[in-house]
Amino acid sequence: MATVQTALWVVVLLVALAILFDFMNGFHDAANSIATVVSTGVLKPGQAVVFAAFFNFVAIFIFHLSVAATIGKGIVHPGVVDTHVVFGALVGAISWNLITWYYGIPSSSSHALIGGIVGAVMAKAGAGALVSSGILKTVAFIFVSPLLGFLLGSLMMVAVAWICRRARPGKVDKWFRRLQLLSAGAYSLGHGGNDAQKTIGIIWLLLIATGYASASDTSPPTWAIIACYAAIGLGTMFGGWRIVKTMGQKITKLKPVGGFCAETGGAMTLFLATALGIPVSTTHTITGAIVGVGSTQRASAVRWGVAGNIIWAWILTIPASAFVAAIAYWVSLQLY
């Protein structure tokens, strides 16, 4: 009986740590949803975070739990996972999020979590414990999601420019100030739908590993789903203003029409990835879309040096969080 109580106590603490990561995910990635709508002046920062948080949570009613299933069963073999692995994965992901938030770098919370899982599992059982198909699919979308965002954002911008070619600039600006509310809401839906499910997935993985859920279960517990969507929404409400500045101002200057095109292209990418059960980076996606919109004006409209620094952060995210996770896994073994 004492052993079960101790195990439950450990599980509760790890679930709390996972919820903290989810909150930080919303905090860290708030800029992805609101940077464009704030930088174009359509909404004030306070209004924007409440707006985005609302749609983050509403996503619970729209998307199937395909991404959660990928994280819970498609990245590593569940039989290898234990409490030490989950602890290492979460510490690795949270550490990388804190570092990149502090320096205002829009890195990926999603890939930090995946890197954390991979690092902790490899520290325990080696590469053979990983599910290669899930890893390859996730790694491929590190490149696919920003490229798709870039393509859709730039195509949207070209199409809008052609459709509105005879309209007065002032009238176009007025239209797209209203339309940007729709595009920002759609992007926030995609953000909540894809990102909240990653934490649901790791909680599900933890519950299966500790015997509080069965590997044959078709969905995680309802309480985990509600808690994760609420946590990411609350995190978004607090926002990450350092990253908002980079996303909304430093990469390229946006007008409401550009913000609409970037958000719509990004939202389409997220909806597709979530439907396919692929955990993608909302940061990568919106950055690609913003660069795509900026590049349709002229190449010099994009600050390629800033974009290059962001890409380096993307490349380092999985190995850096994996390294920290492996150390945290070892420390956890010594402590418990």
Side-chain angles (χ1 to χ4, degrees), residues 6-16 83 206-207 210 212 223:
T6 303
L8 180 60
W9 173 74
V10 172
V11 170
V12 169
L13 280 182
L14 287 173
V15 168
T83 54
L206 170 68
L207 295 176
T210 54
Y212 289 95
W223 63 262

Side-chain angles (χ1 to χ4, degrees), residues 144-163 176 252 254 257-269 284-299 301-302 304:
V144 172
S145 65
L147 288 174
L148 193 54
F150 178 97
L151 178 64
L152 292 173
S154 57
L155 288 176
M156 286 284 299
M157 192 67 185
V158 170
V160 166
W162 187 83
I163 292 167
F176 281 94
T252 188
L254 290 175
V257 62
F260 170 83
C261 293
E263 289 160 351
T264 303
M268 292 166 68
T269 303
H284 293 193
T285 304
I286 195 62
T287 302
I290 290 172
V291 171
V293 166
S295 66
T296 60
Q297 302 168 44
R298 59 188 187 280
V302 177
W304 296 102

Side-chain angles (χ1 to χ4, degrees), residues 2-20 81-84 86-87 90 199 202-213 221 223-224 332 336:
T3 303
V4 173
Q5 289 177 337
T6 303
L8 180 60
W9 173 74
V10 172
V11 170
V12 169
L13 280 182
L14 287 173
V15 168
L17 189 62
I19 296 296
L20 174 63
V81 176
D82 58 17
T83 54
H84 302 291
V86 174
F87 175 80
L90 289 170
T199 308
I202 198 166
I203 291 175
W204 195 7
L205 191 62
L206 170 68
L207 295 176
I208 291 171
T210 54
Y212 289 95
W223 63 262
S332 176
Y336 174 70

Side-chain angles (χ1 to χ4, degrees), residues 57 60 66 83 100 116 138 148 157 163 168 191 207 223 242 253-254 266-267 291 304 308 318 327 332:
F57 186 78
I60 194 173
S66 305
T83 54
T100 51
T138 303
L148 193 54
M157 192 67 185
I163 292 167
R168 287 184 289 107
H191 175 217
L207 295 176
W223 63 262
R242 292 172 183 263
K253 295 293 184 182
L254 290 175
V291 171
W304 296 102
I318 288 181
I327 294 173
S332 176

Side-chain angles (χ1 to χ4, degrees), residues 46-64:
Q47 296 171 325
V49 291
V50 173
F51 181 85
F54 171 77
F55 283 101
N56 278 174
F57 186 78
V58 167
I60 194 173
F61 304 108
I62 295 174
F63 295 102
H64 294 293

Side-chain angles (χ1 to χ4, degrees), residues 7-202:
L8 180 60
W9 173 74
V10 172
V11 170
V12 169
L13 280 182
L14 287 173
V15 168
L17 189 62
I19 296 296
L20 174 63
F21 167 78
D22 198 34
F23 174 86
M24 288 182 63
N25 190 340
F27 184 91
H28 187 275
D29 290 359
N32 302 343
S33 302
I34 66 174
T36 52
V37 80
V38 170
S39 68
T40 56
V42 171
L43 289 177
K44 295 178 181 177
Q47 296 171 325
V49 291
V50 173
F51 181 85
F54 171 77
F55 283 101
N56 278 174
F57 186 78
V58 167
I60 194 173
F61 304 108
I62 295 174
F63 295 102
H64 294 293
L65 296 172
S66 305
V67 175
T70 297
I71 297 291
K73 300 178 180 180
I75 300 293
V76 300
H77 296 295
V80 178
V81 176
D82 58 17
T83 54
H84 302 291
V85 166
V86 174
F87 175 80
L90 289 170
V91 170
I94 289 171
S95 300
W96 185 248
N97 271 0
L98 286 172
I99 291 167
T100 51
W101 168 80
Y102 181 80
Y103 288 104
I105 301 169
S107 69
S108 169
S109 297
S110 309
H111 293 131
L113 179 60
I114 290 164
I117 294 171
V118 168
V121 167
M122 287 187 69
K124 178 183 179 181
L130 303 176
V131 178
S132 58
S133 59
I135 298 291
L136 290 173
K137 182 168 63 174
T138 303
V139 170
F141 264 76
I142 292 177
F143 305 99
V144 172
S145 65
L147 288 174
L148 193 54
F150 178 97
L151 178 64
L152 292 173
S154 57
L155 288 176
M156 286 284 299
M157 192 67 185
V158 170
V160 166
W162 187 83
I163 292 167
C164 301
R165 64 191 184 282
R166 292 192 177 94
R168 287 184 289 107
K171 195 171 184 179
V172 171
D173 187 76
K174 185 177 179 180
W175 286 345
F176 281 94
R177 282 183 177 275
R178 295 171 182 169
L179 287 172
Q180 205 183 351
L181 293 176
L182 295 177
S183 61
Y187 195 85
S188 295
L189 275 176
H191 175 217
N194 201 279
D195 276 17
Q197 288 195 39
K198 293 154 192 168
T199 308
I200 294 171
I202 198 166

